[in-house]
Amino acid sequence: MLCEKCHHCGLCEGDGKSEDSSNMQISVDGLLPFEPRGGAIADARICIAVDIGTTTIAASSYAMSSEKRLSYVCAVNEQRSFGKDVLSRIAFSSETHNGIFGQQILHEKIVLQINALLSKLISQTTFLLPRGFRAEVAEIAITGNTTMLSFAFNLDATPLATAPFTPPSLFGASFLYGDFLASVRVPFAPVPLSTPIFVPPCISAFVGADTVCALTACGFGADNSARMLADVGTNCEMAIQSSAGKITCTASAAGPAFEGYGISAGMSAASGAIADVSVHSDTLGGKALACSVIGGARAKGICGTGLLSALGAFLELGLLSFDGAILGDADRILLRDGVFLLQSDIRAVQLAKSAVKTGLDFLVERAGENAGIQKFFLAGSFGTKLKITDAVKIKMIPSQLAPVALSAGNAALSGATAVLLRKELRVCAKKIAENAECVNLAEVSDFQERFLSNLAL
């Protein structure tokens, strides 16, 4: 999703020129489950939250005295060169490569990248503090899914790939920065080695600390109001809280299509990406495709939000059947400026959207007909930017959730920040992790039938 006004949130390279026609409320800075203290920054103490995503790594800094966000950095997870999803990386980690164990390679890669990102973030933060203050890091929180955290702390992740899917750790503990760096040679440590690191708890092998943080940020566990969360990305974690306060969660592998990977003309939400496709009347009174490009220049490719709206527009123009087949003799559809979508691209989006829809349907059914969802939070880099109307049009999100949808930004990062700023929220996060019921969709008796049915557009 592109905001009507660019807030430089770091989630995309939007320039503020593209408009958002959906009615979904947007929180560009992410949610905090409390009102920040505010006021002037009284001292140099800061805290840093890090979210290790499968696709991207993000980090933000906050002033401890005012609870104001100071700076933000984000980069593609460099582990992608060893596998685009958690399963391929786990497979890499279990093998030896040129005499080096894959687990050690992935561990070193992520530690070096986080160390470099922290150095950049602290430099930016010091510049934004009042004159005379040099950033002093009081504490760091590192969150992520169970696999990413296992790689970060050099734990054997191979049990996460096969039944009974036993995680090497569910975390929920504190470490020192020196422990984090212990087995990796770094050129420079941007914080003292005695700096504490808090790693929030995971729920299971499939639902990690990032989901616990997102749930904390979105107010789960704080009251008994019925609410849902979907953190949509390469891995999609979903949760529902009933009016009785019970939390049920699950996860599905949506794959990298929403991030533009594996799509013939796919790219990230950067300048030149088609971010929205709609149907407009042409000069002859007919209907034609209209594409909105980030930056307003010539189109170079298409990002995740553009993929969703493109499929909806294709359906409206009668270019696709409801099973996703391109009608006629063509095997591709032209968007603009030589950017096409192939039949294989459409199939990839169908697989991704079915993974999301199947999980959401299951949770809604599990909560019962009278679930009465009051808030539906969409989180993650892609979930934040998608247009709810496009997601409903291609049957990715149940229509009954659209009126109560809210964009939560990087809720995992916000939740990691929240447990740093307010220590009592660590108790809330711990209770969520301990009491949430986690369902493995693959073990649901009719999962395959549900998934195949939800491929339809």
Side-chain angles (χ1 to χ4, degrees), residues 104-181:
Q104 182 63 25
I105 295 173
L106 291 171
H107 172 63
E108 290 183 1
K109 180 65 71 173
I110 202 70
V111 168
L112 288 169
Q113 186 173 13
I114 289 174
N115 193 67
L117 283 174
L118 290 184
S119 181
K120 178 180 179 181
L121 181 67
I122 292 169
S123 177
Q124 291 179 183
T125 301
T126 296
F127 180 77
L128 295 170
L129 289 171
R131 185 181 296 273
F133 285 163
R134 181 176 178 81
E136 299 174 5
V137 182
E139 191 173 12
I140 299 168
I142 298 180
T143 192
N145 65 46
T146 313
T147 302
M148 292 300 105
L149 289 178
S150 298
F151 292 149
F153 289 89
N154 205 19
L155 301 177
D156 181 13
T158 52
L160 296 170
T162 55
F165 308 105
T166 305
S169 173
L170 289 176
F171 299 95
S174 293
F175 305 85
L176 298 179
Y177 196 68
D179 300 330
F180 182 62
L181 300 182

Side-chain angles (χ1 to χ4, degrees), residues 263 307 311 314 319-320 323-326 331-333 341-351 457:
I263 303 298
L307 287 169
L311 265 61
F314 294 167
L319 300 176
L320 286 183
D323 65 0
I326 297 175
D331 65 349
R332 63 193 64 200
I333 299 174
L341 279 186
L342 309 182
Q343 182 67 74
S344 59
D345 299 328
I346 294 167
R347 296 301 186 206
V349 178
Q350 285 181 271
L351 291 170
L457 299 173

Side-chain angles (χ1 to χ4, degrees), residues 74-93:
C74 183
V76 173
N77 188 329
E78 293 178 1
Q79 290 180 337
R80 285 192 63 85
S81 59
F82 307 110
K84 293 182 178 180
D85 54 37
V86 293
L87 289 179
S88 58
R89 288 183 213 173
I90 291 173
F92 179 90
S93 74

Side-chain angles (χ1 to χ4, degrees), residues 45-49 60-64 136-139 417 420-421:
R45 292 178 308 122
I46 66 168
C47 62
I48 293 176
S60 59
S61 60
Y62 277 72
M64 298 289 286
E136 299 174 5
V137 182
E139 191 173 12
T417 300
L420 285 173
L421 294 174

